[in-house]
Amino acid sequence: MTIPQPRPAGIIDIGSNSVRLVICDVMGASILQSFNEKVMAGLGEGLTKTGRLSPQGMEAALKALARYRAILRALNVETWQAVATAAVRVAEDGPDFLKQAAKVLGRPVRLLSGEDEARLSARGVDLSIHNPVGVIGDLGGSSLELKRIGLSGAQDGESLMLGPLALGDIVSDPKELRKRMREALKSSAALRGTKGKFYAVGGAWRAFGRLMMEMDRYPLQVLQGFQANEGQVARAAKLCVDSLTNAAARQQIEAVDKRRAKHFPMAAILMEEVLAQSALDGVIISATGVREGVLHELLGMKLDDPLTDGIVAYARLDHNQIAFGRALHDFIAPALVPQPDLFGSPAADVRIEKAACMMADSSGRFHPDHRAEMAYDLALRAPYLGVTHPERAMIALAIGARYDKDFKRPVEHAALTTDAQADRARQIGLLMRLGAVFSGRSAPILKRAALRRKGDTLELEVGPRDRMMISETVERRLSQAAGQLKLKWRTVVR
């Protein structure tokens, strides 16, 4: 088995509001950040009035670029690209800035068109959301890019000047702000009649997502994949609008993100209007977007499922651990009865079962007294992609139960899964415990054995050469797994 090796790659994103360097380890379909730094340069400040980039913003941006070039050199990152977006694209002195930036960086800066931004943002969302269907919206400092995703029929991306810096002159007038946004969005072909979800990309909307989490006391502080309905958006938007005149409301949103507090009302109203001008059913926050899309294109990555690759990369699994994870799923699968109500289809359920099995040997180095809790937290919060929060929570609960048959997750986390999902997670966890202790966490031994349902009995069958593998501990764990499945148990040597 050949294990793909992580490749370091970097992206410098010269935006209207910030200039950011992100360095990632790329393996297969997985992109894991190892470095992320931004400078709030404000290149687009005053652009709508002057038609030019902010002089102070250019100075701050060029200083940041010099620093980023030094970091890339020091870390030996040879594969990287710098891109510039809306502010540089529309400013009359944008070409001059690009020349200065290229001189500082030692290589050209790629100027993205509005269509480029929309297309690459959609590609970034495709890397983090499994089978997305609807519209992506990437809100930057100056512009909003929209593009349909997961729907038949080609459709070009759109770029609308609806970013906070482009609308800064009317921020204090919510009615005028809403009117301006509504007029622009009515012309959007991407939104017109489109069904599915709205995939929100960009720092302002990530911050707004955190606000919705705080208001609902949401138990999992992981922005990637967080979902909100229209009612949640409306409640949080009202607070943001109130913050313009109410000190208590402003204090509440500043507690979430003080630097972006002044942009919250715009981001909130815009999200409301996007939902109002479409047939989209709720919002999903995406932590990935144009930067990941650029890396995907730069490296020629395939649009494969990033879930398993992400787990392998994050947990740094070796050859034996990967082989064990794959064999473990093959071993436990015959004991599981399909439950199509878990995630919509048997294939979707199997995908999560496989991901859990791939993590089954990820925490052996942790101290036994804390192993279950640490493994649970790693599985719940690790930055692997391609899962919803319920799927992430089910994987984590299965891993907790794999290391402790009586594992109790925090009470507030129970709301992250249905009862059926939680029961299936515990089934998977106890079956993984059985497979791990029986085989010594080795794929060859698992492959020689068979675990199956026979009527009302869970049967473990081994060949004569593996008779000695059935210890008292193995029988105890077989009994525990059978109890979770509401079955009797027996071992058979043939």
Side-chain angles (χ1 to χ4, degrees), residues 397-411:
L397 182 55
I399 296 301
R402 177 262 183 271
Y403 285 108
D404 178 356
K405 69 179 177 64
D406 298 317
F407 179 74
K408 300 290 191 300
R409 60 180 171 176
V411 174

Side-chain angles (χ1 to χ4, degrees), residues 325 328-329 332 352-361 428 432:
L328 183 59
H329 182 260
I332 73 170
I352 300 307
E353 293 166 11
K354 287 182 175 180
C357 289
M358 195 57 71
M359 296 194 80
D361 197 28
I428 294 169
M432 290 194 295

